[in-house]
Amino acid sequence: MQDVSFLVVDDCQLVRNLVRNTIENRLGSERVYTAVNGKEALELLNARKIDVIIADWQMPEMDGDELLRKVRKSDKLKAIPFIMMSSLGDKEHVLSAIQNGVSQYVMKPFTAEKLEDAIQKSWNSANRRGATRLSSLPEHKVRVQTSNRKLAGTVKNISHTGMLIELTYSRELHLFNNYSFELDVFDLNDEGNVLIEPIYGIPVRLMALESNTGNTKVCQMGIRFSSGMLHETVKSKLNYLLQSIGESGTELIQDN
């Protein structure tokens, strides 16, 4: 999760540092912003792209519960995973947080393992909700550029963070940490062929599949987009694609 950005909201500096260290050491992200209360957090949320919010309940000026309600009522912010930290473990407070749309509820004091688990669960859940299948498109082909050739495959699903592709297995797929892709979409809104390239991405999963064509080896590769490397034209085309297949009004990639 090294490309995921976090906002940690707590009036206690010790807790802020603990959460920051957990994110940096266990999840590999250095994109951690901090705020001392909900009011300051909202200012940061409106100024920067934040992927995950981790906030304390009890804070001065604006507490975590009010921040949660404001986030969920905002068209711009409502989809962001929100993890609530609190020493209030009674049923009333937990139910209130759930009703207001909290993603995970972490009781204080907590271990680094507990916090990491809550972050992973909320992030994975948000990505599953955001994934959009491309089955409605007549053709959706992708080509993966390796050192000396292009490997052809098809897109199984795509979301604002990446895509899952299926292709014939090659040993070259194990050799690189970052790939360049060409996404070829046909008959999108009766506009004919739409070529989106170069798309840069990092492989996060490679899984072998059973093949019905004899000795041919088939695999699926999960790709996380390297958003910082994408040209504005590519971002625009990806946004248009995602909106056209059902994510109307949702930006695929937002600038920092």
Side-chain angles (χ1 to χ4, degrees):
M1 300 181 70
Q2 61 183 9
D3 294 326
V4 179
S5 58
F6 296 84
L7 175 57
V8 181
V9 193
D10 200 300
D11 57 326
C12 175
Q13 183 176 354
L14 181 64
V15 174
R16 294 197 303 272
N17 290 341
L18 172 64
V19 176
R20 178 196 289 273
N21 290 338
T22 299
I23 292 170
E24 291 179 349
N25 296 331
R26 302 183 74 93
L27 300 175
S29 174
E30 295 183 356
R31 301 173 62 186
V32 183
Y33 305 95
T34 60
V36 299
N37 55 49
K39 183 179 179 181
E40 188 175 308
L42 282 177
E43 294 175 356
L44 276 167
L45 285 164
N46 288 319
R48 297 185 178 276
K49 179 184 179 295
I50 301 296
D51 296 313
V52 179
I53 301 169
I54 306 172
D56 185 33
W57 187 306
Q58 296 172 296
M59 295 181 293
E61 293 196 58
M62 183 188 297
D63 64 17
D65 188 51
E66 184 177 355
L67 174 62
L68 172 61
R69 286 186 272 113
K70 288 184 178 294
V71 166
R72 290 295 179 247
K73 289 179 181 179
S74 168
D75 290 337
K76 176 185 176 182
L77 307 174
K78 63 184 179 182
I80 300 177
F82 194 115
I83 300 169
M84 185 76 80
M85 304 180 293
S86 179
S87 57
L88 304 170
D90 58 277
K91 184 178 180 180
E92 180 181 351
H93 282 93
V94 175
L95 286 177
S96 175
I98 293 173
Q99 290 169 355
N100 289 331
V102 77
S103 304
Q104 292 286 320
Y105 195 97
V106 179
M107 283 293 301
K108 290 182 175 181
F110 51 80
T111 64
E113 290 79 7
K114 286 280 188 182
L115 180 60
E116 180 187 7
D117 184 60
I119 292 171
Q120 294 282 9
K121 286 180 178 178
S122 61
W123 180 246
N124 292 337
S125 178
N127 282 332
R128 283 195 297 272
R129 289 196 304 270
T132 304
R133 293 196 64 81
L134 283 175
S135 57
S136 61
L137 298 177
E139 290 187 62
H140 37 280
K141 297 188 179 299
V142 66
R143 289 177 289 275
V144 183
Q145 179 66 57
T146 65
S147 58
N148 53 18
R149 61 173 175 157
K150 291 180 180 179
L151 304 175
T154 57
V155 178
K156 306 304 293 183
N157 63 55
I158 190 168
S159 74
H160 66 290
T161 57
M163 60 184 172
L164 179 67
I165 65 175
E166 188 171 304
L167 69 166
T168 301
Y169 175 77
S170 169
R171 293 181 62 185
E172 293 178 70
L173 295 175
H174 288 284
L175 300 179
F176 303 96
N177 294 323
N178 201 309
Y179 287 96
S180 171
F181 302 88
E182 294 178 359
L183 180 58
D184 214 351
V185 183
F186 291 82
D187 297 330
L188 182 63
N189 296 335
D190 298 320
E191 296 177 12
N193 169 263
V194 176
L195 179 63
I196 309 175
E197 56 88 25
I199 303 174
Y200 296 104
I202 300 171
V204 294
R205 181 180 66 188
L206 185 63
M207 179 177 64
L209 300 177
E210 292 186 6
S211 173
N212 295 323
T213 57
N215 295 326
T216 302
K217 296 181 179 180
V218 180
C219 67
Q220 286 189 348
M221 177 184 281
I223 304 297
R224 184 176 70 241
F225 294 144
S226 301
S227 58
M229 299 175 62
L230 302 186
H231 190 274
E232 291 301 318
T233 301
V234 172
K235 291 182 181 181
S236 178
K237 288 184 178 181
L238 284 170
N239 283 330
Y240 179 66
L241 170 63
L242 197 63
Q243 291 169 10
S244 297
I245 58 176
E247 288 288 337
S248 179
T250 300
E251 287 296 311
L252 176 65
I253 300 168
Q254 298 179 1
D255 294 329
N256 292 332

